[in-house]
Structure formats: C-alpha cells, structure tokens
Amino acid sequence: MYKILTLNNISSLGLQRLPREDYEIGSEISQPDGILLRSFKMHDMVIPDSVKAIGRAGAGVNNIPVDQMSSRGVPVFNAPGANANAVKELVLAGLLMASRNINSAMKFASGIEGDDAAISVAVEAGKKNFVGSELPSKTLGVIGLGAIGVRVANAALSLGMKVVGYDPLISVQSAWQLSSGVEKAISLDHLFTQCDAVTVHVPLIDATRGIVSAERLKLMPKGGIIVNLARGGICDDTAVLASLNKGHTSTYVIDFPTAELMKHPKVLAFPHLGASTNEAEENCAVMVADSVRDFLDDGTVVNAVNFPEAFMPRNGGTRITIANANVPNMVGQISTLLANAGLNIADLLNKSRGDIAYTIIDLDGDISEETVAAIRGINGVLSMRTLPSKA
Ligand SMILES: NC(=O)c1ccc[n+]([C@@H]2O[C@H](COP(=O)([O-])OP(=O)(O)OC[C@H]3O[C@@H](n4cnc5c(N)ncnc54)[C@H](O)[C@@H]3O)[C@@H](O)[C@H]2O)c1
Ligand SMILES: O=C(O)[C@H](O)COP(=O)(O)O
C-alpha cells in the first residue's frame, strides 16, 4: 500500500487513477510515499524521508525544492502542456480586455444609476471614453515558446496579429508546432522594439527574473500592453508601474497580483486563474497521477523535470531502481555487487540527465537486505528502491 499526501485540492479524476486497494490518499497523511500538489509552497516544508516522488498537477515547479529532491534521488513530475489551452484562452481574454478597455467600461456601466432611459443616455454619452483598438495589424511578442507560448502565438496569428517570438531554448516539439508565420526575434530587445503587446511564457528561474525591465519597456511603442500569466517576478513590477504612470505602457495584465498592483487602475489583475478550468484541472491531475503511479509501481519515469525518461517493460522478477550521481562506473559497481550475491540480471536500463543517472534492473531472483544495503552504500547512490515481482 502506497501513501499519497495531497497539499492542494487535486481533481478527483486524477485521484481515481490511484486504485484504493493500493493507494491511501489524504491531506493529513504522515510518512507519505508520494506528494501531489498544485501551487502549495514546499520550500519551507520539511519533506519526510519516506517521500519517493512528487507530482505537480500543473506546469511551474518553482514552488518545489527541485534541487533538494534531486540530491535525495527523488523525481519531481509535472504535467507539461496539460493546462496550456486554459492559459492561452486567458491570455487572449486579457489582450482583448486591455485593447477594448473592457474592465473600465464595465465598471462605468455598472456604476450608472437611473431608469432605462437615463441609463441609455449615460451609456451613449459615456462610451466615447472607452474607444479601443483591434488586434489585426498589431504586433504581439511572445517570450517563451513552450506549450503555452506556441498556442498563444498560433492563436494570435489566426486573429490577424503579426507575431514575433523569442525562445533560444525552443524544443524540437515546440518548433514543429509553431506556425511558420511567427517571426523570430534575434534578441529580447529586438522583440520589444517591434511589439504593441508582449506576453511572457517562461518559467521563473534566475535567467528570466526581471526580463521585462525598465529599459525594455522603453523600447516598446507608446501604449503597449504587457501580459504576465507566467509568474510574478518575470516582469519588474516597479518598472511596469512606472511605465503605466508615465502613460507609456497602457495596461498590465497579471495573474499574480500584489497589493500595489491591485490598486492601480491600469492593471488587470486575475487571481492566478490561468489553469483554473475544469478541463485543465482534470488533465493535469490525470497526467501527474499516472506519472507518480507508474513510478511507484514500476520505477518508470515520464514527465519528470529532474530525471531522465526511463521505461522498461517488467519481466516478472524483482525490480530494483537506483538514482545516482552521473559519474563513471556506477553501473559497474552495482552489477558487481549483484554478481557477488549470485543474482543474474534479466534486463537493465540506464539513462542519464545532467547530474543524475537512473538505472532500472530486473533480477532473476530475490535480492537480500544485505545486498540492498551494499548498493545503497556505494558512493554517489542517491536513492534505491526494491519493487516486488509482478505476476
Ligand atoms: N497562470 C497560470 O495559471 C499558469 C499556468 C501554467 C503555466 N504557468 C507558467 O507558465 C510557464 C510556462 O508554461 P509552459 O507550460 O509553456 O512551459 P514550457 O516548459 O512548455 O515552456 C517554457 C518555455 O520557456 C522557454 N524558456 C526558458 N528559459 C527561457 C529564456 N530565458 N528566454 C526565453 N525562453 C525561455 C523554454 O525553452 C520553453 O520553451 C510555467 O513555467 C509557469 O510558471 C502559469
Ligand atoms: O504553473 C502552473 O501550472 C500554474 O501556475 C497553475 O497553478 P495552479 O495549479 O495552482 O492553478
């Protein structure tokens, strides 16, 4: 029986992927084997040694101490692309709200008093204050062309916008999905000089913190729109507020409001709503629950942010899995210990990613506690699991 601790509400469709005969799930579980969460901030939490896997039902993992988990040989899974359409739709909504002054116009309309005739007079007199502009012929800059950025770029093209993209680390999969109509910016500065609106879709990491800066905002034409549904910190909020106050930037659409941002009339603040659709919550929960289950049951690794992909069909015998530092002779030392214990290797898979290597070994026989301890004792082994044979 595996124990799963949930740190946020996880869609029941996802939790149903973990059969109750094998999985106990709850928000008060002690000594869990796995943790499922959304945006719960884990950095200040003491993560029990029992934890073997962490599953983020979403995209961003900046709320999880991934490096610490890597050093403990614990994979962190996420749900790549599972909420991308939801975010794309909110980006488009934000762009439309900003360019048509929808928020302030709605506030005006809801503040009108009087009978129907008076309302009609006020509406017709007041609408001139909310004249907007249309998206075709405008240029959108998309920073980060991953699951969300590609969808936003392609959708904006289909709405008639010119689209300029920037992502020096673009994956082959994203490049395949990106419309050929999206132009490539040669640098971030190049992107800002061309764009009436800029939207960010990068993870919050050192390299992306503050990339929407005072200097870059000045490069944009007057009246520009900034959309940040990625993470607070990617835009320099102080610089954006200064640019709004000067009248250079027209609107800041943000999914991560702060006290200062929320009270500004030119800020459209959403309550971290990007992934909050029934579809996205279900997609994310199902995807990450499957990954955590496949790992706990079989040692399979799919969609981990810190481990290599690893899948080997079960041959029916006992399986051991080892995460270790990616240095020479680890597999040699492990197989020597197995040979010394008289254990034959039926099948073996060894993969690496950055500093971590991961090995799956199916054995023709049962492994003793003594041999497990010897493998755990090899310098560089970060974690080891023994999975009972499967019929
Ligand atoms: N508001 C929400 O509810 C919500 C929902 C989902 C994701 N997000 C945020 O959006 C981010 C992106 O999500 P995604 O699903 O598209 O992730 P993704 O991993 O598919 O895409 C991220 C892209 O950013 C690119 N990138 C990384 N560093 C970069 C840099 N310095 N400059 C330019 N590009 C860079 C990567 O190459 C990748 O293509 C997440 O990390 C998360 O923080 C927010
Ligand atoms: O990174 C993400 O996937 C989003 O920020 C969604 O976060 P949430 O699951 O807390 O809505």
Side-chain angles (χ1 to χ4, degrees):
M1 176 71 88
Y2 289 115
K3 296 202 283 180
I4 304 291
L5 172 68
T6 55
L7 298 177
N8 296 105
N9 285 333
I10 305 294
S11 160
S12 58
L13 222 60
L15 298 181
Q16 284 164 20
R17 310 290 279 207
L18 304 168
R20 292 305 176 269
E21 56 275 23
D22 298 326
Y23 287 86
E24 182 190 350
I25 305 169
S27 57
E28 302 290 336
I29 296 233
S30 62
Q31 301 303 303
D33 298 288
I35 293 179
L36 292 179
L37 76 159
R38 288 178 60 172
S39 287
F40 183 93
K41 292 188 173 37
M42 291 184 75
H43 287 283
D44 299 329
M45 171 183 170
V46 177
I47 301 170
D49 287 340
S50 58
V51 170
K52 299 168 184 66
I54 295 177
R56 199 303 187 203
V61 291
N62 58 307
N63 54 322
I64 302 170
V66 176
D67 289 347
Q68 185 197 335
M69 290 302 100
S70 301
S71 67
R72 281 165 57 166
V74 172
V76 176
F77 299 93
N78 73 348
N83 57 25
N85 186 66
V87 181
K88 174 202 81 180
E89 289 185 2
L90 198 64
V91 169
L92 296 178
L95 266 180
L96 290 163
M97 285 178 73
S99 49
R100 298 297 297 273
N101 302 311
I102 289 175
N103 192 36
S104 37
M106 284 179 68
K107 276 188 190 153
F108 161 72
S110 63
I112 301 173
E113 290 180 357
D115 60 13
D116 289 355
I119 291 172
S120 176
V121 169
V123 160
E124 296 309 324
K127 70 183 184 188
K128 63 178 176 296
N129 297 315
F130 307 103
V131 173
S133 56
E134 299 182 25
L135 296 181
S137 84
K138 299 289 185 309
T139 303
L140 175 69
V142 183
I143 302 175
L145 293 163
I148 299 168
V150 163
R151 282 171 173 79
V152 168
N154 292 350
L157 268 185
S158 70
L159 289 172
M161 297 186 83
K162 180 182 166 189
V163 182
V164 180
Y166 177 81
D167 188 337
L169 308 167
I170 190 169
S171 69
V172 173
Q173 192 185 343
S174 290
W176 273 107
Q177 289 167 345
L178 189 67
S179 165
S180 59
V182 175
E183 293 177 23
K184 181 177 168 227
I186 52 174
S187 68
L188 272 177
D189 288 356
H190 180 230
L191 179 141
F192 276 83
T193 52
Q194 302 174 69
C195 293
D196 304 291
V198 170
T199 181
V200 291
H201 300 292
V202 292
L204 177 63
I205 50 176
D206 288 345
T208 60
R209 193 175 289 280
I211 55 175
V212 178
S213 61
E215 294 70 28
R216 293 198 171 117
L217 288 165
K218 281 183 204 147
L219 297 175
M220 286 181 80
K222 189 173 175 342
I225 297 167
I226 301 294
V227 182
N228 177 8
L229 270 59
R231 280 293 179 270
I234 292 170
C235 301
D236 175 345
D237 284 347
T238 310
V240 180
L241 283 171
S243 187
L244 290 171
N245 289 338
K246 266 189 243 151
H248 188 67
T249 298
S250 70
T251 315
Y252 184 28
V253 183
I254 176 84
D255 212 9
F256 304 90
T258 61
E260 202 175 12
L261 290 175
M262 278 194 305
K263 63 185 184 218
H264 199 286
K266 295 180 180 171
V267 172
L268 293 181
F270 302 144
H272 192 188
L273 210 55
S276 293
T277 64
N278 294 325
E279 294 87 343
E281 291 183 356
E282 287 171 1
N283 290 342
C284 288
V286 167
M287 194 184 276
V288 85
D290 283 352
S291 290
V292 168
R293 177 183 168 178
D294 288 347
F295 180 76
L296 291 177
D297 286 358
D298 293 321
T300 299
V301 180
V302 176
N303 293 334
V305 300
N306 58 344
F307 266 49
E309 299 272 306
F311 168 74
M312 188 171 83
R314 293 295 287 262
N315 79 353
T318 297
R319 167 168 285 192
I320 60 172
T321 66
I322 301 124
N324 56 265
N326 187 16
V327 293
N329 198 30
M330 294 302 288
V331 174
Q333 293 181 76
I334 294 162
S335 49
T336 299
L337 286 172
L338 293 172
N340 291 345
L343 281 166
N344 190 42
I345 294 176
D347 222 341
L348 182 149
L349 178 83
N350 175 254
K351 295 289 215 56
S352 64
R353 175 176 177 180
D355 293 337
I356 285 205
Y358 182 67
T359 306
I360 302 176
I361 302 175
D362 281 350
L363 299 169
D364 284 339
D366 291 332
I367 188 167
S368 67
E369 287 298 321
E370 195 187 8
T371 307
V372 169
I375 294 174
R376 283 186 195 278
I378 297 171
N379 191 21
V381 167
L382 306 170
S383 67
M384 176 182 177
R385 299 177 60 219
T386 307
L387 306 177
S389 59
K390 258 188 168 177

